[in-house]
């Protein structure tokens, strides 16, 4: 099949969407976009401007530049909260929509986020919804921020509470809430390692008639 392949990878925070989406993009020879970075970049710009992330962030979203996405300080707990708050604003989502659609439309792509299969690419031929238990996600997030160290239980409880609060906010917002598309296939990453998750996803891609391999060239 030669149709443009868009793979939508959605799910809650720290479920392993990024790990899967990056590996899938490589296996399929497609460009990859971490759409969470867009909201993190907008949240970061609001904080840097001394503005509350609850204030109108549409202007900062329209002013977002590639350099805002390359910063090394986009994964702090402060930016986690700011990103979730700006992501609830319709003006922010509207400002970021065309870029995301254009990215996937050019050559096909793998995109990960919260609303890729429901809003950005509702016709994507492959939609995956990656989940994992709260304790597994809390530990994953903590290890991402503290490589090579071991967390204590109290710390993990705090991280878990923050993740759950953010997921609740992302799922409860009126515009483009976090939810699985009706035709998404759910992958529980608790019971699989990264390789197992990738193999499951590649089987789904094949079942939809797309052959793995570098059939598309990355644009970025
Ligand atoms: O995937 P992430 O943790 O980097 O996302 C950061 C925040 O951005 C998250 O709280 C929800 C929001 N987001 C969103 O609303 N829609 C997306 N497509 C991606 C992220």
């Amino acid at each position: 099949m030669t149709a443009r392949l868009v793979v939508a990878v959605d799910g809650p925070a720290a479920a392993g969407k990024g790990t899967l989406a990056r590996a899938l993009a490589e296996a399929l020879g497609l460009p990859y976009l971490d759409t969470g970075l867009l909201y993190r970049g907008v949240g970061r710009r609001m904080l840097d401007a001394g503005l509350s992330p609850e204030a109108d962030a549409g202007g900062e979203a329209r002013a977002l530049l590639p350099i805002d996405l390359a910063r090394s300080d986009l994964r702090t707990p402060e930016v986690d909260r700011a990103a979730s708050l700006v992501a609830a604003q319709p003006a922010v989502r509207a400002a970021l929509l065309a870029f995301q659609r254009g990215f996937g439309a050019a050559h096909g792509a793998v995109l990960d986020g919260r609303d890729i299969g429901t809003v950005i690419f509702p016709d994507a031929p492959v939609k995956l919804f990656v989940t994992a238990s709260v304790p597994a996600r809390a530990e994953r997030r903590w290890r991402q921020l503290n490589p090579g160290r071991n967390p204590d239980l109290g710390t993990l409880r705090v991280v878990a509470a923050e993740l759950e609060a953010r997921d609740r906010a992302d799922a409860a917002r009126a515009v483009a809430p976090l939810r699985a598309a009706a035709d998404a296939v759910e992958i529980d990453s608790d019971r699989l390692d990264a390789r197992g998750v990738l193999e499951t996803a590649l089987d789904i891609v094949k079942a939809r008639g797309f052959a793995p391999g570098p059939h598309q060239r990355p644009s970025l």
Side-chain angles (χ1 to χ4, degrees):
M1 187 181 287
T2 53
R4 167 181 72 87
L5 172 55
V6 170
V7 181
V9 182
D10 290 304
K17 300 185 300 291
T19 304
L20 170 62
R22 210 170 287 114
L24 253 188
E26 179 154 353
L28 297 169
L30 290 172
Y32 163 57
L33 180 64
D34 170 0
T35 65
L37 273 188
L38 304 173
Y39 297 92
R40 289 176 180 277
V42 176
R44 182 77 259 174
R45 286 181 66 110
M46 291 296 280
L47 296 172
D48 289 353
L51 298 168
S52 161
E54 282 168 284
D56 180 1
E60 295 297 338
R62 288 187 290 275
L64 194 68
L65 296 170
I67 197 167
D68 293 315
L69 310 181
R71 296 175 58 148
S72 59
D73 56 358
L74 296 180
R75 297 203 179 273
T76 64
E78 189 189 24
V79 176
D80 285 353
R81 285 187 290 275
S84 187
L85 287 167
V86 300
Q89 299 185 25
V92 169
R93 304 200 77 88
L96 301 177
L97 183 75
F99 172 72
Q100 295 174 80
R101 289 212 173 128
F103 187 94
H107 303 277
V110 181
L111 299 93
D112 79 58
R114 304 292 188 290
D115 64 338
I116 308 303
T118 51
V119 174
I120 308 296
F121 284 103
D123 296 329
V126 181
K127 298 181 187 177
L128 309 172
F129 195 81
V130 185
T131 60
S133 66
V134 172
R137 294 195 287 120
E139 183 162 344
R140 181 197 300 271
R141 174 48 47 94
W142 193 89
R143 288 189 189 280
Q144 280 169 351
L145 290 174
N146 303 276
R149 293 175 54 204
N150 287 318
D152 62 65
L153 279 180
T155 306
L156 282 185
R157 265 200 288 272
V158 172
V159 177
E162 283 174 359
L163 277 183
E164 284 190 294
R166 193 149 66 91
D167 289 344
R168 264 197 305 277
D170 291 340
R173 68 182 176 222
V175 53
L178 162 67
R179 68 178 169 80
D183 52 348
V185 181
E186 187 169 321
I187 301 178
D188 183 345
S189 71
D190 264 9
R191 285 175 283 128
L192 296 165
D193 61 10
R195 192 177 176 78
V197 173
L198 175 63
E199 279 167 6
T200 305
L202 284 171
D203 285 346
I204 295 163
V205 170
K206 277 185 234 163
R208 299 285 153 92
F210 291 89
H215 58 94
Q216 311 264 5
R217 265 192 315 139
S219 61
L220 287 179

